[in-house]
Amino acid sequence: MKLPVYIGMLDEAEATLAASLRVVAEGHVDEPDVHLILQTLAKKCDVHREALKPVIERYGEDVEGEEEHRLTANGVTEIRSGPLALLLDLQDLYVLVHHIDVTWMLVGQAAQGDRDEELQRIVKQCEGDTELQIRWLKTRMKQAAPQALLVAE
Amino acid sequence: MTDRITEIWGERTPYGSGQDWPERVDQFLAEGLTGDDVDQWVQSACVLCSNGCGCDIAVKDGRMVGIRGRVQDRVNRGRLGPKGLYGSWQGETHKDRLTRPLIRVDGQLVETDWDTAMGRIVDRSKDLLASKGPLSHGFYTSGQLFLEEYYALGILGKAGIGTPHMDGNTRLCTATAAAALKESFGADGQPGSYTDIDHCSAMFLYGHNMAETQTVLWSRVLDRLDGPNPPRLVCVDPRDTEVARRAEVHLPVHPGTNLALMNGLIRELFTNGWIDEDYIERHTANVEQLRSVVDPWTPERVAETCGVDAADVRRAAEIFGTSDRVLSTVLQGFYQSAHATASACQVNNLHLLRGMLGSPGRGVLQMNGQPTAQNNRECGADGDLPAFRNWENEEHVRELAGIWNVDPGIIPHWAPPTHALQIFRYAEQGSIGLLWISATNPAVSMPQLSRIRDILRKDSLFLVVQDIYLSETAQCADVVLPCAAWGEKTGTFTNVDRTVHLSEKAVDPPGEAKSDLDVFLDYARRMEFKDKDGRPLLDWSGPEDGFEAWKECSRGRPCDYTGLSYAKLKGGSGIQWPCTDAHPDGIERLYTDGEFPTTPQYCESYGHDLLTGATTGETVYKATVQPGKAWFKALDYSPPHEEPDADYPLRYTTGRTVYHFHTRTKTGRSRRLNDAAPEPWIEMSVQDAASAGCKEGDIVRVTSRRGRLEVPVRVGDIRPGTVFAPFHYGYWDTPDGGTSEGGSPASPTRAANELTITEWDPVSKQPVFKNAAVRVERLRAGDGPSKAPDTAASRPATGGQP
Ligand code: SF4
C-alpha cells in the first residue's frame, strides 16, 4: 500500500507551493495583483493541507519509504530580478502547481479504487483550486509575456 | 427657476406609478439676458455626469450664453441639475483655456504651432515603433469624449499601431458595470431603462448616491416618492446621504463589506422561497453554486461583518423578495470597493432569481459615472474590442479586421487588454515610452498620487496630453494639445440607459484649439496608417463619417446603431440602442424574453473567476455554457486587504459632491459651483471627531500608508469609524498652481487620492478607491466652520455639534 506515501508527498508539495507563492508574492509588491492574489492562492494550499490532515492521521505520520520520494525540487526560495523576473517566477510556480495538479488526480483515482470516501471528498474539494491556480498563472503570464519578451529592458 | 445651489433638485412634479414623468423646463441664461436675446438654440446633451440630460445651448454673437433642458427628451423631460445649469458653458469660457499647442523646451512648456507639436509626437512615435515596436505606446483616454472620437482612437491604436495598451478613466468609474454585465449576461449592455423608475414598486440603490451623482434622475425618484403609490426605497451606503434619508431601510455597511451583505440578501431570498423557480430553470445556469456560496451568510453573520442590524437585512430582503416590480441601481460604492465585480454580479443575481428583468419597473441599472463612458466601452478605446466583440474569439477578430480591411494579426488579441494601472506600471518600468492622455487628469484622479506624479514626470516617458485646460497632468507633459470642448464640436454619445444623443457644435473653439477627433485624424494621417490596400486607415472627413463607420462596426452586435443617423437624432429626443431597421425607435429594455447573449459565438467574454480574475477560456466555456442562459456568478466574502488596525484605526472612503465633477476642470471654474464647494474637506462622525479632539472646521491631518491630507473637518452624519473625502480637489487652483517643485505641488495634501491604495478588482480592474485605513490627528483650529456644502450628504451632523 503506497498511497500513504503519495499523500505525504502531496502534503509536502502543497507546503512547498504555499511557501513559494508567498515568496513570489512578497518579492513582487510593486505588482499589486500578483502580490495579493498569490497570497490568496497560498491560503488555498493551507486549506488543502488542513483537509488532508485527517487522512494523514489515519495512515500515521511515519510512512515508510517517503524519504526516498520527492515530487519536485525545493520550490521558489528567492525571487529573480530584471525584466524577466516576474515571468520566470510565475513560470516556476506554474511548474509546481502542475505537479500538484496531476498528483491530486492520481490520489483521487487511488481513493476511488480504495473506496475511500473521505479521501474522495477531499480530492473533489481541492482539485478545482489547483486548476484555478493554473488558470490564474496562465492568465497573468499571458498578460506579461509580450511586454517582457518584446519591449522591457 | 429657484436657486439650484440650495434647491438642488428643483420643484417637485409628483406622479404615480405607470404615469409619464411630468415635464418641467429648467433654463439658465447669462446675467441680464432673456430668451429674446438668444440668436440660436443648438441641440446637445449635458456632459457633466452620466445621466445624459438633453439640452439646448443658447448662442448669442457667436458665444455660448445659456442652457435649457429639452422638454421632448426621454431622459430629463426638460430638467437640468446644478452642474448642467451653472457649469456647462460657464466652465468652458474661463480665461485659462488652452488656445495654442505647447511643447517642452528646456524644461518649460512654451507655445508653438500645430505642425511643430504634431511633428514632435510623430517623430517620437515613429522612433519608438522602429526601435521597440507597438507595445511601446500607451493611450489613456476619458469618459468625456464623443463616440466618434473613441472609435477613431480605437482604430488608430488597434489597427494603426497595434497596441493592447489602451484604456480610459472609465476604468475608474464604470469598468465594474461592464464586467458584471459580461459575467452575468455574456455581454455588456444596460438591461434597464430610466423609465423603470416610473413603474417600479421598490427601488434599491447600492452604493449609489444618486441624489448627488445624477441629480435629475434623483428628481425623477423624488417625484415618484412624493406621488401616489410611491416605491419603497432601500439604500446601501455608509454615509447618511439624501438617498439614505428618504429610504425605508438604510444599510450603512462598513466600507469593504458589500459582498457579505449581498450574499446575505440572496440567502434570504432562497430561505424564504422568494425566487422564481421556473425562470431560474429556463433562463439561468449555476444556481446550485450560488446557493452554496451564500448559505453561511445568515442575517446575524451579515450584521456582525457589515455593522448593520440583522433585522434591517431581513427587512431589505423582504422588500426585494415580495415587491412586484423592483429596480436596482448600482454605482461607485460597489464599483470602487472590495469585491467589486462579485458584488455587482450579486445585484444581477437578485434579479435573475426573481426573473425581475426586462419588463416595466423590473430592471437593473449598472450605472456609469461619466457622460460618455458607455461609448468608450463600446468603441474599443478602453481595451475591449469594438462593438462588444470578444478578444478571445478568433472569428470576432477576423470580422473586425474585415471591417477595417487590415490583417487580423495587427489587432491586439493575443493577451488581455492592458488596464489603466498596468499601463502606468509599464510606463513606470520604462517599457511604455509614449503615453498619450486625452481629456482626463490622472495626476488627481488615480490612486496613490505621489507614485502617479513620479511616473508622469519620468524622463523615459514622452507624455502627450490633450485637454481644454492646463490640468495637473498637462503640467507634466512634453506636448500639450489644446482641444475643443462640448458645444465647440459635433458628435454623439450614449448615457447609462443606452440613450444616444447628438451634440452639435454651437460655437468655434477658442484660438487654435481643435476637436479631439481632428487631432486623432491628423495623427493617423501624419503616421500614414494604411489599410491592406494602401488606402488611409482613417479617411473620415468629420464626425458624421465616423458615426457612419461606427454603425457598420456595430451591425448585428448587442449595441447595434444601424437604425440611427445624425438626421434622425436631430429635433426630437435621444434614442436608445439597439436601434435597427426592425426597431427604428430603439429598444427600451434588454432581455425581455429571458434570452441572454451567452452563446459562445456571440458573447463578449468567456468569463472570469471572480476571486482571482483568471479567465475561463474558450474550451471550458464551451463545455459548460448553456447557450442563451444567464450565469449565476458568486463568490464568498473575505475581508478587504487593508483593514483598520492600531496605527490606522479608521476606514477611509472617497466620493463626489453634488457641485463638482471629476477634478473640477470645468466645475471649479464656474463661480456658482465653486462658491458652493470651494475647497476640500473630510467628513467624520460626531463620535470620531470627539475622540480625535476636534471640532467642526478644525484643520486635521489624515494619514494613510501612502500619503497625507491636511484639510478642515466637517462633523457630519457619516457612520462612525469611517472618514470620507471628496475626490475632486487637486492643485491647479492653489497659489502656486501645483507646480512649485518641477511640476509637483509643494505641499501635496489636498487631493483625496494622496491616501488611496494601488489595488484593483481582479475582474474589472477598477481601482479600490473606497477602502483604505487612515488615522486622523488635529493640527489646529480653523477659521470657522469648514466650507463643505451644508446641503446633501456633507451637511453638518443632525445630532448637533460636539
Ligand atoms: S443630471 Fe447630469 S446630465 Fe443632467 S444636468 Fe446634471 S450634470 Fe448634466
Side-chain angles (χ1 to χ4, degrees):
Chain A
M1 171 86 164
K2 291 294 178 202
L3 176 59
V5 178
Y6 243 73
I7 290 171
M9 293 194 308
L10 183 55
D11 182 53
E12 196 188 324
E14 287 278 6
T16 307
L17 176 62
S20 304
L21 287 165
R22 291 192 167 105
V23 166
V24 179
E26 283 317 313
H28 292 280
V29 281
D30 287 338
E31 313 290 345
D33 56 341
V34 173
H35 175 66
L36 294 171
I37 290 168
L38 289 185
Q39 291 178 55
T40 305
L41 298 183
K43 277 189 208 138
K44 294 214 173 267
C45 298
D46 302 343
V47 172
H48 296 173
R49 296 192 66 205
E50 202 54 40
L52 281 172
K53 256 191 191 155
V55 185
I56 293 173
E57 268 160 30
R58 180 143 54 86
Y59 287 123
E61 293 272 338
D62 260 349
V63 181
E64 212 184 314
E66 196 181 355
E67 305 78 47
E68 298 100 77
H69 301 283
R70 282 287 175 276
L71 259 181
T72 59
N74 295 326
V76 184
T77 50
E78 58 184 14
I79 64 144
R80 295 178 172 80
S81 60
L84 291 179
L86 177 67
L87 200 54
L88 287 168
D89 288 340
L90 293 179
Q91 213 170 333
D92 276 347
L93 296 174
Y94 187 74
V95 173
L96 289 176
V97 179
H98 265 277
H99 274 291
I100 292 181
D101 185 52
V102 76
T103 313
W104 276 109
M105 186 184 86
L106 303 180
V107 168
Q109 282 184 302
Q112 284 178 51
D114 201 27
R115 295 163 85 181
D116 182 336
E117 282 182 17
E118 182 183 33
L119 187 53
Q120 286 181 49
R121 193 179 39 73
I122 296 166
V123 172
K124 214 165 165 228
Q125 174 202 327
C126 299
E127 63 184 355
D129 288 341
T130 312
E131 193 240 304
L132 174 66
Q133 290 169 333
I134 291 172
R135 277 204 287 135
W136 185 80
L137 287 166
K138 266 180 147 170
T139 305
R140 192 61 179 83
M141 287 190 293
K142 262 177 134 175
Q143 183 196 327
Q147 201 71 9
L149 301 183
L150 297 174
V151 213
E153 274 160 11
Chain B
M1 196 185 70
T2 49
D3 172 18
R4 298 288 296 282
I5 294 294
T6 47
E7 301 293 321
I8 296 167
W9 306 284
E11 285 128 37
R12 294 282 54 78
T13 49
Y15 70 125
S17 176
Q19 294 172 350
D20 285 339
W21 190 25
E23 296 168 351
R24 182 194 90 194
V25 177
D26 295 335
Q27 170 178 313
F28 187 74
L29 295 174
E31 226 162 290
L33 295 188
T34 69
D36 294 341
D37 300 316
V38 174
D39 299 338
Q40 198 194 351
W41 290 96
V42 180
Q43 182 178 346
S44 180
C46 175
V47 289
L48 289 168
C49 84
S50 64
N51 205 47
C53 296
C55 62
D56 290 309
I57 305 169
V59 179
K60 181 178 167 54
D61 304 330
R63 293 179 46 233
M64 294 192 272
V65 293
I67 191 165
R68 176 176 74 192
R70 283 177 69 81
V71 73
Q72 61 274 63
D73 201 276
R74 64 182 300 277
V75 170
N76 52 321
R77 300 178 67 83
R79 291 163 191 78
L80 292 172
K83 280 182 296 188
L85 291 165
Y86 303 136
S88 49
W89 52 278
Q90 301 93 323
E92 299 182 352
T93 43
H94 195 272
K95 61 171 174 43
D96 294 351
R97 276 295 294 272
L98 291 168
T99 55
R100 297 197 67 199
L102 308 172
I103 51 172
R104 194 165 293 277
V105 177
D106 299 331
Q108 301 296 317
L109 285 173
V110 297
E111 288 196 349
T112 186
D113 54 45
W114 276 97
D115 256 343
T116 311
M118 292 305 289
R120 279 214 178 184
I121 300 170
V122 168
D123 286 350
R124 180 61 72 103
S125 202
K126 285 186 171 162
D127 270 2
L128 279 168
L129 286 179
S131 62
K132 289 178 151 191
L135 299 177
S136 59
H137 282 54
F139 293 88
Y140 183 58
T141 187
S142 175
Q144 299 173 44
L145 297 183
F146 288 157
L147 176 152
E148 297 78 359
E149 296 171 326
Y150 294 128
Y151 190 44
L153 180 59
I155 296 175
L156 76 82
K158 288 180 166 61
I161 290 175
T163 176
H165 307 326
M166 306 190 77
D167 205 353
N169 64 11
T170 48
R171 187 63 61 188
L172 320 181
C173 94
T174 183
T176 302
L181 294 170
K182 287 184 224 178
E183 294 299 326
S184 298
F185 307 132
D188 196 349
Q190 189 69 270
S193 162
Y194 285 169
T195 52
D196 287 327
I197 294 174
D198 310 346
H199 298 277
C200 66
S201 56
M203 220 181 140
F204 279 62
L205 290 94
Y206 301 97
H208 183 194
N209 182 8
M210 188 197 281
E212 297 190 64
T213 57
Q214 287 89 8
T215 58
V216 170
L217 202 59
W218 180 243
S219 298
R220 198 167 189 149
V221 176
L222 286 177
D223 285 344
R224 274 298 315 276
L225 291 175
D226 286 358
N229 43 53
R232 303 174 76 184
L233 206 64
V234 176
C235 168
V236 181
D237 198 314
R239 293 168 79 208
D240 194 27
T241 60
E242 284 301 315
V243 178
R245 285 169 203 148
R246 294 300 301 255
E248 179 179 337
V249 181
H250 175 206
L251 296 159
V253 294
H254 288 306
T257 65
N258 297 325
L259 184 59
L261 171 72
M262 296 312 294
N263 287 354
L265 291 178
I266 297 223
R267 184 181 185 279
E268 283 298 283
L269 253 57
F270 279 121
T271 311
N272 293 286
W274 292 321
I275 59 174
D276 182 340
E277 302 272 9
D278 184 51
Y279 187 93
I280 294 169
E281 168 68 28
R282 285 192 295 131
H283 300 299
T284 70
N286 254 6
V287 71
E288 285 318 314
Q289 198 226 343
L290 176 67
R291 196 193 292 268
S292 75
V293 166
V294 302
D295 190 54
W297 288 97
T298 61
E300 284 68 29
R301 190 161 164 212
V302 172
E304 196 183 316
T305 305
C306 304
V308 295
D309 275 351
D312 286 341
V313 177
R314 288 200 170 83
R315 276 169 67 208
E318 189 253 340
I319 294 174
F320 197 100
T322 60
S323 297
D324 178 41
R325 293 179 305 281
V326 188
L327 171 65
S328 291
T329 74
V330 196
L331 195 59
Q332 311 307 3
F334 271 40
Y335 299 163
Q336 295 179 341
S337 193
H339 321 103
T341 305
S343 305
C345 280
Q346 289 294 46
V347 177
N348 297 340
N349 292 343
L350 280 167
H351 284 262
L352 288 169
L353 282 173
R354 290 207 60 210
M356 280 273 167
L357 275 174
S359 66
R362 302 184 175 129
V364 177
L365 293 169
Q366 298 277 1
M367 300 293 292
N368 310 341
Q370 296 175 86
T372 75
Q374 186 59 45
N375 304 107
N376 190 342
R377 271 151 62 178
E378 292 162 10
C379 297
D382 70 343
D384 287 340
L385 294 186
F388 303 160
R389 286 183 173 83
N390 182 354
W391 66 270
E392 291 186 282
N393 182 332
E394 294 281 346
E395 192 42 49
H396 284 192
V397 177
R398 255 201 301 280
E399 207 174 82
L400 201 54
I403 294 169
W404 293 340
N405 192 31
V406 297
D407 183 287
I410 195 173
I411 300 174
H413 62 285
W414 17 262
T418 315
H419 59 96
L421 288 168
Q422 190 66 46
I423 292 177
F424 277 76
R425 174 70 179 143
Y426 289 148
E428 184 174 41
Q429 292 172 313
S431 66
I432 285 184
L434 186 154
L435 181 60
W436 189 323
I437 296 177
S438 42
T440 186
N441 190 9
V444 179
S445 56
M446 280 274 198
Q448 201 179 343
L449 290 181
S450 59
R451 175 173 165 262
I452 298 295
R453 280 190 293 266
D454 288 346
I455 296 172
L456 293 172
R457 288 202 312 269
K458 268 182 84 86
D459 287 339
S460 63
L461 184 69
F462 186 78
L463 183 66
V464 180
V465 174
Q466 61 191 63
D467 211 317
I468 63 172
Y469 290 107
L470 194 69
S471 65
E472 289 85 343
T473 304
Q475 291 172 11
C476 306
D478 295 284
V479 177
V480 179
L481 303 173
C483 279
W486 169 88
E488 299 165 355
K489 60 181 183 180
T490 294
T492 54
F493 64 95
T494 307
N495 77 344
V496 170
D497 86 336
R498 293 174 278 106
T499 304
V500 186
H501 283 110
L502 175 68
S503 177
E504 295 201 85
K505 179 173 168 175
V507 299
D508 285 327
E512 295 173 25
K514 280 187 192 179
S515 76
D516 297 84
L517 179 64
D518 284 343
V519 175
F520 294 142
L521 295 178
D522 186 31
Y523 172 71
R525 217 167 16 243
R526 289 173 192 260
M527 291 295 289
E528 298 168 87
F529 294 137
K530 296 277 194 288
D531 71 6
K532 271 199 311 209
D533 300 323
R535 282 192 294 262
L537 182 64
L538 271 165
D539 59 354
W540 312 345
S541 62
E544 192 161 4
D545 283 357
F547 190 76
E548 290 301 315
W550 165 248
K551 279 164 61 178
E552 276 319 304
C553 182
S554 74
R555 185 180 294 278
R557 296 299 300 159
C559 52
D560 196 322
Y561 279 67
T562 49
L564 292 169
S565 65
Y566 274 23
K568 196 164 162 181
L569 289 167
K570 268 182 210 169
S573 165
I575 300 172
Q576 287 173 291
W577 67 246
C579 178
T580 58
D581 291 343
H583 299 280
D585 301 322
I587 290 179
E588 188 153 32
R589 295 177 184 84
L590 304 184
Y591 315 137
T592 47
D593 53 2
E595 274 290 303
F596 296 93
T598 46
T599 347
Q601 296 75 20
Y602 190 71
C603 69
E604 184 183 2
S605 167
Y606 296 137
H608 299 80
D609 170 60
L610 296 186
L611 176 67
T612 61
T615 53
T616 307
E618 184 177 357
T619 317
V620 176
Y621 188 83
K622 284 185 169 162
T624 50
V625 70
Q626 300 181 39
K629 291 187 178 182
W631 293 97
F632 281 117
K633 287 266 178 130
L635 176 66
D636 196 9
Y637 169 81
S638 51
H641 294 119
E642 186 166 285
E643 287 243 272
D645 57 20
D647 291 338
Y648 301 95
L650 298 167
R651 292 176 199 256
Y652 177 70
T653 183
T654 67
R656 281 189 252 185
T657 169
V658 66
Y659 303 111
H660 285 302
F661 188 51
H662 269 230
T663 58
R664 293 163 60 249
T665 315
K666 292 181 189 174
T667 53
R669 290 176 169 97
S670 146
R671 183 181 54 80
R672 276 191 177 74
L673 295 175
N674 194 52
D675 288 352
E679 57 173 46
W681 70 92
I682 63 141
E683 289 168 30
M684 290 177 90
S685 68
V686 176
Q687 292 94 311
D688 291 333
S691 43
C694 58
K695 287 199 203 37
E696 168 69 34
D698 283 358
I699 312 298
V700 293
R701 176 183 294 148
V702 190
T703 315
S704 81
R705 290 182 176 81
R706 294 153 292 276
R708 61 182 214 278
L709 294 185
E710 289 176 11
V711 294
V713 65
R714 158 58 42 96
V715 181
D717 283 331
I718 190 166
R719 75 160 300 151
T722 299
V723 175
F724 169 89
F727 64 55
H728 307 288
Y729 299 88
Y731 303 97
W732 60 264
D733 54 342
T734 54
D736 65 9
T739 55
S740 60
E741 277 171 40
S744 160
S747 161
T749 55
R750 273 165 59 97
N753 284 318
E754 304 293 350
L755 272 51
T756 46
I757 190 169
T758 302
E759 186 191 335
W760 53 84
D761 180 71
V763 181
S764 69
K765 315 290 192 275
Q766 186 155 351
V768 183
F769 288 111
K770 293 196 189 288
N771 189 54
V774 297
R775 66 166 171 265
V776 178
E777 299 143 286
R778 180 181 184 276
L779 290 179
R780 57 181 181 274
D783 42 7
S786 77
K787 298 195 180 80
D790 289 342
T791 54
S794 58
R795 67 157 161 60
T798 37
Q801 297 298 306

